[in-house]
Amino acid sequence: MSRTICRNSEEIPRELLDCLERAGKVAVLTGAGVSAESGIPTFREAHTGIWARFDPMQLASPEAFEQDPATVWDWYQWRRELIARSRPNAGHYALAELQGLVTELVTITQNVDGFHALAGSSGVLELHGNIQRDVCSRTGRTIDPDWIEAHREQRPPPSPHHAEGLARPDVVWFGEALDPGTLDAAFAAAGICDVVITAGTSGAVQPAASIPVAALQAGAVMIDINPEENELSRMARWHLAGPSATWLPALVGELGRNRG
Ligand code: OAD
């Protein structure tokens, strides 16, 4: 099927809307670009991306935490505080609204900011964890926020679950496996959806990038939302070229009007 690139969110192709209207099951995979308009930097964009300024292996790997837990903790505290000061944007809210317009919408995200749930989406599959939670570095058990608060002078705080454990953010680091249950649920949703939407992701990180590919292979129609072109946009039936905080509300608004 040939690809259509759309640049004007005020002129959504009729065929795309028909396709979404007919779709019973929809799966969405989001990435850092969806939170860009909330003021959270993406990872891979030249100059502004987090990985343009910091070395991931020095900050987001088990080895880095082993070698210098204080630096890793401080860096995550900085990101946490930025996220805590920020809010979901119109794209997050539109996806939450979309859940009420289709039979089933599974939201799968690589983002750790928790903004989809904050905007009202339910059952969000957080592939890379959630930065606002802490777990024990030895046992993986969740640590109560009150414990962290009571030990915040220590960087990182100790773990209440293991004598040699430390608190660490509940995120997936480079070299670590994703939670198998979350990953299975994401691939299951991809395998049965009629439409898969990818939004704000470079598609550079596995296994997340394979989720829309699995949906395509199972016969889904793909819509990609991204100001830039990448491998995923080239696979999509429609590439909506522009920011997700513009395209998602435009799509959902139009769908809602047609339904109403
Ligand atoms: P990337 O930083 O790799 O890609 C962000 C994408 O968002 C790029 O393709 C941008 O073009 C696009 N983008 C920028 N602004 C946008 C906007 N306003 N609207 C829509 N799209 C926009 O981020 P991810 O694909 O999420 O993993 O990266 C995946 C994973 O790599 C992250 O979860 C993180 C990182 O290393 C871990 O930390 C494990």
Side-chain angles (χ1 to χ4, degrees), residues 30-34 36-37 41-45 49 51 56 60 76 79 110-112 128 171-174 199-205 208 225-230 242-245:
T30 68
V34 162
E37 284 149 297
T42 60
F43 291 96
R44 284 178 188 73
E45 284 175 281
W51 299 149
Y76 275 93
R79 285 184 59 201
Q110 296 161 89
N111 299 345
V112 295
H128 294 163
V171 298
V172 177
W173 281 333
F174 287 96
T201 179
S202 60
V205 170
I225 305 177
N226 198 314
E228 305 294 328
E229 186 173 288
N230 62 33
S244 49

Side-chain angles (χ1 to χ4, degrees), residues 25 27 38 51 84 93 113 125 144 169 173 181 183 187 208 210 223 235 252:
K25 296 191 167 86
S38 292
W51 299 149
Y93 288 108
D113 53 34
L125 298 174
D144 195 287
W173 281 333
L183 195 58
F187 275 103
S210 297
I223 302 169
M235 282 178 214
V252 173

